[in-house]
Amino acid sequence: GPMIYELLVSCYEAFPGKNLVDSICKYIMKGQPGKKKYFRWYALAVEQDIRITRLYEYYIETMPKGYPDVLPQVIRMYFVYNNALSSKKRAQIYANVIRNKEVDKATYQNYKKSMEQFAMESLKAGKINEDFAAVYQECIGGLTSKATGEMLARVMFSYRIYCDDPKIRNVIVCHEELEQEDVYPCNDGVAYINLYNTNARIFFEDDRKRRYVSTVDYNLQKLMDEKEYVKQCASLDVSFPGLLLAVCSGKSEIRVRNLGCYQHAAQMQEFREEYRHNICKKILEYYAAHAGDDTLDSYLKKMDYMTFAKVDKVILAELLIEKGMYEMAFEIVKEYGYEGIRTESLVKLASRMILRMEFVEQEELVYLSLHVFEEGKYDDIILSYLSDNLLGPVEQMALLWERMKGFQLETYALEEEIM
C-alpha cells in the first residue's frame, strides 16, 4: 500500500537511479496508475528511456493540464502512430504542440493536418474545454460555410468556471433576453458555460436542486477570442440565438452587415417578447433612417409585418407608403387604425389604393378617403371616389361638391345625390 510507495520514494530521494525509477513505475502501475501525482515518475522513466508496457499512455493520462514544456520526442512520435487515446487527451497534446509551435516547428508541421481534421470532428461533436478551444482557435480560420459557423457559434462563447464548493452539481446561466435558462454540469468543481453578453446571471445548484448566488466563490476564464468569428458568422447568416444575442446586445448599432442578425432575433421564439419588441423597434428606426436605400426593399418584402406593426405601426406604415408597398400599408391601417400617421402619407395611400382597386367601392377605403378629405387633404382621385361612393349628411356632400368644382371635376352625379 501507501507504506511501500513512501518507502520507495524515500529510497529514490537518497539514492536516485534508473533501477529505482523502473521499480517505482512497475509498482504504481499495479494499483491506481492514473493518479495525477505519479506523473513525476512516468516523466523520469520516459526521460531515462526505460521501456515498460503502457508507460506512454500513463504519461499522457497523468500529464498536468496546460503542461507548458515541449513533450519528449518519444511521446510525440508514439502519439502520431497511436490513435487509441480519448479525444480529451488528444486535445491536450495538440494544445501543447500549438503552445510550443515556435520552439518546435517540426512537430507542429507534422501534426498540422491531423489537428485540422481533429478540430472539425470535435467541433461537430460540440466538445469544449481549454484544450479544444486552443485547437479551434488555431485550426479554424476563415469560415467558409454556414454549417461550420452554426457549430462554432455553440462553443465560441465558452468560459471555464471553477468553484471549489464540493456540493455544487450544476451551474445555471440566465440571460434575461432568452426564454430558457441553460444548465451545465459541474464536475470536480469545473463547468464549461456559455455567456453571450455581460448581463447574464450565474447560479449554482446542489444535488437537492437548491440554488446559491453570492455564497459560492468562483472564477471565470474566457476560452476563445470570438470577435472575428462573430463577424464572419453574421455575414454567413448564422442564426444561433447566442450569436444573435452577442451581436444585438449592449450599445451595438445596426449596420447593413449585421441587419440579418437583428431580423432573425426579432422573430425567434427563443427570445422573450419584450426583447423581440425592442429589436423590432431598432430595426424600424434603422429602416426609417435609411428609407432611400434600395437594398432594404428585399428585406421589407420578407418581413413579418404584423410582428413589427404591434411595436410601431406609425413608422412601419410611413415606411411602406414611402416604399410604394401600398397593399401592406393598407392592411396595417385596417388592422391598427391611422392615428399618428401623417395625413400626406394617408392621401398617397388612399389615392394609390383607389387606382389599384379600380375605383370599386370598399368600405375601409371609403372611410380612409373621407378621413383625409375631412383633414382638408385630397386629390382628384380621392374626390371622384368619394363622389361615387359617399352617402353622408348633406353638408358633407355639399363640401365635396364645392371641392370638386375647384378641381373642374364632373359633378352631375353628385348633384343628383344631393338633390
Side-chain angles (χ1 to χ4, degrees):
M3 297 286 292
I4 299 176
Y5 174 69
E6 297 303 333
L7 190 65
L8 286 168
V9 173
S10 308
C11 292
Y12 180 81
E13 305 292 352
F15 311 103
K18 191 170 172 174
N19 289 345
L20 258 174
V21 173
D22 186 73
S23 307
I24 291 173
C25 285
K26 283 178 176 152
Y27 178 73
I28 57 183
M29 282 178 180
K30 289 195 184 87
Q32 294 171 293
K35 283 188 174 170
K36 298 286 178 227
K37 65 175 182 183
Y38 295 155
F39 178 71
R40 171 191 178 187
W41 303 111
Y42 301 141
L44 279 167
V46 167
E47 205 178 291
Q48 295 176 14
D49 213 15
I50 297 170
R51 298 294 160 95
I52 310 172
T53 313
R54 304 213 41 148
L55 170 63
Y56 301 154
E57 273 94 339
Y58 290 136
Y59 176 98
I60 289 168
E61 197 175 315
T62 56
M63 185 169 90
K65 255 196 163 335
Y67 184 68
D69 308 337
V70 175
L71 296 174
Q73 175 152 24
V74 344
I75 295 287
R76 297 193 311 255
M77 294 308 297
Y78 175 74
F79 181 57
V80 172
Y81 300 108
N82 174 332
N83 279 330
L85 287 170
S86 73
S87 66
K88 250 186 181 158
K89 283 291 154 195
R90 289 179 68 185
Q92 198 179 350
I93 290 183
Y94 287 147
N96 175 282
V97 170
I98 290 164
R99 272 196 299 278
N100 291 297
K101 69 176 182 178
E102 293 309 317
V103 196
D104 177 12
K105 293 194 171 89
T107 303
Y108 178 80
Q109 285 309 326
N110 289 343
Y111 276 36
K112 200 166 170 11
K113 204 158 180 51
S114 51
M115 286 199 296
E116 284 165 358
Q117 208 176 336
F118 176 76
M120 286 315 291
E121 284 162 18
S122 306
L123 192 58
K124 268 203 185 77
K127 294 183 185 294
I128 190 68
N129 66 21
E130 304 85 309
D131 298 324
F132 287 108
V135 175
Y136 297 150
Q137 196 96 53
E138 181 71 27
C139 299
I140 298 171
L143 295 179
T144 47
S145 76
K146 180 175 175 174
T148 310
E150 291 281 355
M151 294 186 297
L152 194 57
R154 288 164 202 280
V155 296
M156 68 192 188
F157 299 102
S158 290
Y159 285 73
R160 176 184 192 269
I161 188 166
Y162 176 77
C163 77
D164 52 10
D165 190 328
K167 66 177 180 293
I168 298 304
R169 293 286 168 273
N170 289 316
V171 177
I172 296 174
V173 176
C174 295
H175 289 87
E176 58 189 40
E177 302 86 352
L178 292 171
E179 285 282 5
Q180 303 281 319
E181 55 187 29
D182 294 312
V183 181
Y184 303 91
C186 186
N187 300 315
D188 300 328
V190 173
Y192 294 98
I193 66 174
N194 280 354
L195 297 177
Y196 307 116
N197 63 15
T198 49
N199 53 19
R201 298 198 308 288
I202 298 173
F203 301 100
F204 297 89
E205 191 176 71
D206 66 13
D207 45 7
R208 293 166 58 187
K209 300 271 184 238
R210 289 178 300 203
R211 291 189 174 188
Y212 306 86
V213 188
S214 50
T215 52
V216 174
D217 275 340
Y218 66 90
N219 64 35
L220 266 182
Q221 175 198 341
K222 191 167 179 23
L223 298 189
M224 291 181 75
D225 176 8
E226 80 291 355
K227 282 187 214 52
E228 277 309 307
Y229 294 137
V230 168
K231 281 184 199 150
Q232 295 179 37
C233 285
S235 66
L236 288 167
D237 201 33
V238 171
S239 59
F240 176 66
L243 171 84
L244 303 179
L245 191 50
V247 172
C248 307
S249 277
K251 296 195 167 45
S252 77
E253 293 290 316
I254 301 191
R255 304 257 181 284
V256 170
R257 65 166 182 274
N258 65 16
L259 181 58
C261 291
Y262 279 85
Q263 287 183 310
H264 282 303
Q267 300 182 19
M268 278 184 101
Q269 297 308 309
E270 284 90 339
F271 291 108
R272 288 174 180 243
E273 192 174 30
E274 186 189 355
Y275 181 68
R276 293 206 306 271
H277 280 186
N278 284 339
I279 293 282
C280 286
K281 206 164 178 52
K282 276 188 167 180
I283 293 175
L284 283 175
E285 284 162 1
Y286 176 80
Y287 279 169
H290 298 80
D293 183 351
D294 296 340
T295 51
L296 294 182
D297 293 5
S298 58
Y299 280 129
L300 275 173
K301 289 191 178 75
K302 283 191 301 215
M303 241 162 62
D304 166 13
Y305 288 95
M306 290 310 171
T307 317
F308 283 89
K310 284 191 198 101
V311 177
D312 197 327
K313 73 150 196 241
V314 175
I315 294 186
L316 182 57
E318 295 266 4
L319 199 62
L320 292 171
I321 294 167
E322 185 166 344
K323 286 286 184 187
M325 298 179 188
Y326 302 111
E327 276 92 348
M328 290 173 184
F330 191 52
E331 286 302 312
I332 285 160
V333 166
K334 282 197 307 202
E335 180 83 23
Y336 294 102
Y338 25 76
E339 303 74 31
I341 301 170
R342 291 175 322 162
T343 314
E344 292 75 12
S345 302
L346 292 174
V347 168
K348 192 172 178 187
L349 177 61
S351 185
R352 298 302 161 83
M353 285 306 293
I354 292 166
L355 290 174
R356 292 205 178 173
M357 296 177 88
E358 300 179 341
F359 287 84
V360 171
E361 180 180 3
Q362 202 258 16
E363 193 184 3
E364 274 123 337
L365 192 50
V366 174
Y367 284 138
L368 176 61
S369 303
L370 185 59
H371 168 78
V372 296
F373 176 68
E374 289 182 333
E375 292 284 309
K377 299 267 165 61
Y378 43 83
D379 61 11
D380 50 349
I381 294 169
I382 292 171
L383 292 176
S384 302
Y385 187 66
L386 284 172
S387 123
D388 291 348
N389 300 304
L390 181 64
L391 267 176
V394 172
E395 300 79 51
Q396 213 176 37
M397 308 282 268
L399 183 65
L400 180 58
W401 176 80
E402 213 175 282
R403 300 286 182 255
M404 290 177 75
K405 282 285 186 213
F407 268 87
Q408 276 104 45
L409 291 170
E410 175 51 64
T411 55
Y412 181 70
L414 181 62
E415 286 159 7
E416 281 211 328
E417 284 288 350
I418 296 173
M419 295 308 286

